[in-house]
Amino acid sequence: MLELDKFISVVLVEPKYQGNIGAVARSMANSGISDLRIVKTPVETEAMYRSMHGRYILENAKTFNTLKEAVKDFEIIAGTSDISKSGEKFRRVPTGPEDFWINNGLKGKKVALVFGREDNGLNYEELGLCNFFIKIIGNPEYPVYNLSHAVAIILYEMIKYNYSGNATITHDIIDRDKIDTLSGRIEELLGKIDYNEPEIETLMNMLNRIIARANITDSEFFKIMGILRQTINRIK
């Protein structure tokens, strides 16, 4: 069973309504997590009132100027924006809340659950930071959930699978530093083979998402790094 408060954080990007902020804090308290990060929007009196026993979460909430700053220390960044309307550039296959927690979210990695603006969701740059997308199934004629409701649903699925005994926790999964090291070595290799430079950033964004989903172990990391090192040395 994972100690959720050490690994799971909620990130709200420019929420418009203080009531939603308060309700999110209340759901977090229900779920046993406390790290709330908010991009730009300050916490006001109404949010405190709506938070009930989650008031302490708002009192300790961290505020950031950008999403990039808010999620820089996380290995899994799971966006919950409506990606069906986000354009071809960011069209990716989403996962449901249950599958996310069973297969990826409860593996001992630091997870940022990112929720976009109530009216416009996440913009292109913010979507590009996410390596997972969670989609909550709803009525096809009205599938978009209120912000605080979406948070509550996803956190409920987290609790259900963490405490049910169904979650498998792997302790030797590589950390963020090793993910960055592996990504950097792949990018170095692309440069050595004169890969089309304008396409490298797009390709690396895709590969970083794949690496994050792969749950690579320490032993696998060192083997992959060995292959990359020998390939680069041979090219030299």
Side-chain angles (χ1 to χ4, degrees):
M1 186 170 63
L2 197 67
E3 294 183 58
L4 298 174
D5 200 36
K6 292 182 179 180
F7 296 96
I8 313 299
S9 300
V10 171
V11 182
L12 305 182
V13 180
E14 298 183 27
K16 295 181 63 177
Y17 306 112
Q18 291 292 317
N20 275 334
I21 297 174
V24 166
R26 183 175 182 177
S27 290
M28 290 175 64
N30 291 146
S31 306
I33 62 174
S34 61
D35 186 28
L36 175 61
R37 303 179 176 214
I38 305 175
V39 177
K40 291 188 177 179
T41 306
V43 175
E44 299 176 357
T45 303
E46 183 184 354
M48 290 291 188
Y49 175 77
R50 289 287 300 275
S51 64
M52 301 298 285
H53 292 291
R55 183 186 181 95
Y56 70 97
I57 293 174
L58 297 185
E59 292 173 341
N60 294 286
K62 305 176 185 71
T63 304
F64 299 84
N65 290 321
T66 66
L67 175 60
K68 185 175 183 180
E69 294 173 3
V71 300
K72 67 179 181 179
D73 297 327
F74 291 86
E75 295 151 290
I76 292 180
I77 304 167
T80 57
S81 182
D82 183 8
I83 61 171
S84 64
K85 299 179 181 178
S86 61
E88 188 63 35
K89 183 178 180 180
F90 293 104
R91 193 173 297 280
R92 302 164 190 165
V93 178
T95 182
E98 296 181 26
D99 289 339
F100 173 76
W101 291 117
I102 293 171
N103 297 315
N104 301 287
L106 296 174
K107 300 293 184 178
K109 292 185 178 182
K110 291 194 67 177
V111 176
L113 299 172
V114 180
F115 297 84
R117 304 160 186 83
E118 289 96 330
D119 51 357
N120 295 319
L122 301 172
N123 62 36
Y124 276 11
E125 181 181 354
E126 292 158 349
L127 286 167
L129 295 173
C130 301
N131 47 35
F132 285 87
F133 285 92
I134 301 174
K135 182 177 179 61
I136 304 173
I137 296 174
N139 176 5
E141 296 181 2
Y142 188 47
V144 180
Y145 287 80
N146 173 273
L147 170 61
S148 62
H149 296 169
V151 174
I153 291 170
I154 291 174
L155 293 184
Y156 167 74
E157 294 295 342
M158 173 192 72
I159 293 172
K160 182 172 70 175
Y161 285 96
N162 187 61
Y163 292 109
S164 68
N166 292 330
T168 301
I169 303 172
T170 304
H171 295 283
D172 63 344
I173 300 299
I174 61 174
D175 58 21
R176 183 58 182 262
D177 288 341
K178 287 181 179 177
I179 290 175
D180 291 341
T181 299
L182 178 56
S183 176
R185 187 54 63 91
I186 294 172
E187 190 167 0
E188 179 184 354
L189 176 60
L190 293 175
K192 295 292 184 184
I193 63 174
D194 295 324
Y195 195 88
N196 186 13
E197 187 169 349
E199 296 180 6
I200 288 180
E201 182 179 357
T202 300
L203 178 60
M204 289 308 303
N205 284 335
M206 180 192 73
L207 291 175
N208 285 333
R209 294 193 297 272
I210 293 173
I211 292 170
R213 291 196 301 267
N215 292 321
I216 297 172
T217 64
D218 276 329
S219 61
E220 292 169 340
F221 166 77
F222 288 114
K223 289 177 182 178
I224 295 171
M225 289 294 292
I227 293 170
L228 293 172
R229 183 179 64 253
Q230 291 186 39
T231 302
I232 292 171
N233 289 340
R234 182 64 62 90
I235 293 172
K236 292 180 180 178

